[in-house]
Amino acid sequence: MKDISYAALLAAFLFMAIPLWLSYKQKLGISREMLNASIRAFVQLMIIGYIITFVFSIEAPILFSLIILVMILIAAKTCAKRGGSFNYSFQIAFTALLTAEMLSVSIWVLFDIVEYEAQYILPMSGMIIGSSMVAISLVFDRLKREFDLTKELIMGKLALGATNRQASQELIEATVKAALIPNVEAMKTIGLVQLPGMMTGAIIAGSSPVIAVKYQLVIVLTNFGNTALTAIIVCFLAYSSFFKQKMF
C-alpha cells in the first residue's frame, strides 16, 4: 500500500479551510473547537499509530490486551461525564463496555473469524468500543431528559402500585430506541449510501472486495450487537438511580 507523505497529510487540513472560514465569517463560534478537534485527532492518531507498530513488533497478547483495557477505561471515563446525574456512572459504563468487548472477542476467536493477534483484535475492538461509547453517552443523556419529561407519569404509576421497573418501562424503551437510532439508520444505507471504513481500507490495501465485505459484515453485526447490548445494560443499571437518589 502506497505511503502518504507528511506534507500530503497536512494538505488534508485544507479541507478544513472552508468551514473554518464560514464559521468565522458568520460568527458561528465553532472555529476554535473545529481546529482543536482536528489537531487532537491528528496528534492522537499519529501517536497510536506508532504505539500499535511497536505492539505489532512484540506480538505479546498481554500487551495489546492491556491497551484494549486502557481504551475501555478512557471510553468509560468519557461516558461518565455524560452520566453525572447517575450513581456510579463510570462503573456502569465500564461494566457494559467490558462485557460487550469480552463477548465480541470470544465470538471472533471461537468461530475462527480472526486470530487473537494485535493486527486484528486492536483495530476491530477500537471500532466497536468507540461506537458503544457513543451509545452509552446517548443513553445517559436521553435517560435524564426522558425522566424529566415523564416524572409525573412515573409518580402516577408508582401511586397505583407499579414497581420501579414497571413504572420506568416507557422511559427505558424510549431511551434504548433513541440510543440505537444512529446505528439502525447507518445499517439501512450501508453499501448504498456509504462504503464503511474497514471495507474501503481493505480494498485499497489490495484485498478482494468480497473478502473485504465479509470482514465488514463481521464488524457491522458485532458493532450493532455491542451497541444494543451496552445501551440495554447501561439503561437497566442506571434508571434505578432516579429512585435511590430521591429525584422526585
Side-chain angles (χ1 to χ4, degrees), residues 122-161:
L122 265 180
M124 292 172 71
S125 295
M127 284 186 277
I128 62 173
I129 291 171
S131 182
S132 296
M133 179 184 69
V134 173
I136 292 172
S137 296
L138 289 173
V139 166
F140 279 139
D141 185 65
R142 187 62 180 256
L143 196 61
K144 180 63 170 63
R145 287 193 288 129
E146 287 290 333
F147 174 78
D148 291 337
L149 290 172
T150 60
K151 185 185 297 186
E152 294 183 359
L153 177 61
I154 293 174
M155 290 178 66
K157 291 180 179 180
L158 292 172
L160 292 174

Side-chain angles (χ1 to χ4, degrees), residues 24-41:
Y24 173 77
K25 196 71 175 177
Q26 301 299 322
K27 299 180 180 179
L28 301 179
I30 60 173
S31 299
R32 180 177 296 180
E33 186 175 352
M34 290 174 61
L35 192 59
N36 288 340
S38 301
I39 293 173
R40 282 191 60 177

Side-chain angles (χ1 to χ4, degrees), residues 5-245:
S5 67
Y6 286 103
L9 193 59
L10 290 172
F13 277 96
L14 292 175
F15 285 105
M16 299 294 298
I18 295 176
L20 284 171
W21 179 79
L22 288 173
S23 173
Y24 173 77
K25 196 71 175 177
Q26 301 299 322
K27 299 180 180 179
L28 301 179
I30 60 173
S31 299
R32 180 177 296 180
E33 186 175 352
M34 290 174 61
L35 192 59
N36 288 340
S38 301
I39 293 173
R40 282 191 60 177
F42 177 83
V43 172
Q44 290 168 185
L45 284 174
M46 290 304 301
I47 291 174
I48 197 64
Y50 284 108
I51 291 174
I52 291 175
T53 301
F54 172 71
V55 173
F56 283 3
S57 67
I58 296 178
E59 298 182 355
I62 186 64
L63 184 57
F64 69 79
S65 297
L66 288 174
I67 291 176
I68 292 174
L69 181 60
V70 171
M71 292 164 63
I72 293 174
L73 286 168
I74 294 172
K77 185 177 180 180
T78 302
C79 296
K81 294 178 182 177
R82 286 279 185 180
S85 302
F86 302 91
N87 288 327
Y88 310 110
S89 57
F90 172 80
Q91 291 88 335
I92 289 172
F94 179 79
T95 299
L97 288 166
L98 184 62
T99 301
E101 171 67 11
M102 291 175 65
L103 286 173
S104 299
V105 173
S106 297
I107 291 172
W108 296 340
V109 175
L110 288 174
F111 287 89
D112 199 27
I113 296 172
V114 295
E115 296 180 9
Y116 194 71
E117 297 178 359
Q119 179 182 354
Y120 308 107
I121 301 298
L122 265 180
M124 292 172 71
S125 295
M127 284 186 277
I128 62 173
I129 291 171
S131 182
S132 296
M133 179 184 69
V134 173
I136 292 172
S137 296
L138 289 173
V139 166
F140 279 139
D141 185 65
R142 187 62 180 256
L143 196 61
K144 180 63 170 63
R145 287 193 288 129
E146 287 290 333
F147 174 78
D148 291 337
L149 290 172
T150 60
K151 185 185 297 186
E152 294 183 359
L153 177 61
I154 293 174
M155 290 178 66
K157 291 180 179 180
L158 292 172
L160 292 174
T163 63
N164 293 349
R165 172 67 182 82
Q166 292 170 333
S168 303
Q169 176 61 33
E170 294 181 12
L171 169 74
I172 294 171
E173 184 179 334
T175 299
V176 173
K177 284 183 178 179
L180 295 181
I181 286 176
N183 290 77
V184 171
E185 295 303 314
M187 288 187 70
K188 287 180 181 178
T189 58
I190 193 170
L192 299 175
V193 176
Q194 61 170 326
L195 294 179
M198 184 176 182
M199 171 184 163
T200 304
I203 293 173
I204 292 174
S207 295
S208 162
V210 175
I211 294 176
V213 166
K214 289 180 180 178
Y215 273 98
Q216 187 61 59
L217 280 172
V218 169
I219 289 297
V220 168
L221 296 175
T222 307
N223 187 43
F224 185 70
N226 254 19
T227 303
L229 179 61
T230 50
I232 292 170
I233 290 175
V234 171
C235 213
F236 276 96
L237 291 178
Y239 87 91
S240 59
S241 293
F242 295 133
F243 305 94
K244 295 177 182 177
Q245 296 173 226

